[in-house]
Amino acid sequence: MAKGREQAAPDAVLTRIGQVAMLHHAGDREEARDRFLGLWAEIGEHGDPLHRCTLAHYLADTQDDPGDELAWDLRALSAAEEITEDPLADAHAGRLAARALYPSLHLNLADDYERLGHREAARLHLRRAQGAAASLAPDRYGEGVRAAIDRMARRLDEAGRGADGPDRPGGWPRPPRQRP
């Protein structure tokens, strides 16, 4: 290859995830969920952590049940942590990508926990999102994530500092499933 024209080979799995994400953003949530689940079956629980992180992050948004959404968001965060906490992953191309997802991952978890009535957990993840957002570029994506973090902060402030727990009688919801 000519000097200056070298590029990393495109990642076919991330490309496929992106194609399904476009389907979801176009409004076909159910079809996107089915395709994402098919990709998850291909990748598996022990597949590339960047693939699992990205896929689980998108798959969470296709869930109807808040508990299921939380479970997928937790999978995404867990996969991101595998990448960023692995001392041998310094050269891993996905390390920077995973770090860039942290603000959004924690924001999604804050939203999940808030909707499930776990306000203290929501506040914890909001603080983590705010801290991680400092590393975002001042581009359209970064500004969008920061604006969403600000909206979540206002939402939690409006909810007050009530006791952590469900807002309905009957106790805490059951813990999220960890396996699809």
Side-chain angles (χ1 to χ4, degrees):
M1 255 186 201
K3 186 176 178 176
R5 297 187 67 184
E6 298 89 8
Q7 289 185 0
D11 185 320
V13 174
L14 290 178
T15 298
R16 290 170 64 200
I17 293 169
Q19 290 169 339
V20 178
M22 287 190 289
L23 179 67
H24 176 238
H25 292 302
D28 199 342
R29 182 180 174 141
E30 189 173 327
E31 179 65 22
R33 180 176 44 236
D34 290 344
R35 290 188 188 189
F36 280 141
L37 287 170
L39 282 169
W40 185 263
E42 285 180 37
I43 293 169
E45 288 184 40
H46 303 292
D48 181 284
L50 179 60
H51 294 161
R52 288 185 289 118
C53 174
T54 306
L55 182 54
H57 188 49
Y58 282 117
L59 193 47
D61 292 337
T62 67
Q63 301 305 302
D64 296 323
D65 180 84
D68 291 338
E69 186 171 350
L70 173 62
W72 283 110
D73 281 330
L74 288 169
R75 284 183 193 97
L77 180 61
S78 178
E81 289 171 345
E82 283 181 47
I83 298 167
T84 58
E85 292 177 359
D86 182 354
L88 301 176
D90 284 290
H92 190 285
R95 189 174 184 132
L96 290 176
R99 284 187 187 267
L101 284 173
Y102 271 117
S104 182
L105 293 171
H106 284 292
L107 175 62
N108 285 2
L109 285 165
D111 181 60
D112 296 341
Y113 282 121
E114 193 274 332
R115 287 187 295 126
L116 289 167
H118 302 277
R119 288 198 184 91
E120 288 309 311
R123 287 184 185 95
L124 170 72
H125 284 283
L126 176 63
R127 286 190 299 273
R128 289 179 180 170
Q130 290 166 325
S135 66
L136 289 174
D139 58 10
R140 187 172 165 190
Y141 172 76
E143 294 305 319
V145 172
R146 280 189 277 278
I149 289 170
D150 290 343
R151 286 191 301 274
M152 174 57 71
R154 284 192 302 276
R155 197 164 102 200
L156 286 172
D157 284 344
E158 289 170 7
R161 299 233 175 241
D164 190 30
D167 293 331
R168 64 184 189 283
W172 294 93
R174 62 184 171 81
R177 295 177 310 186
Q178 293 301 307
R179 303 208 188 268

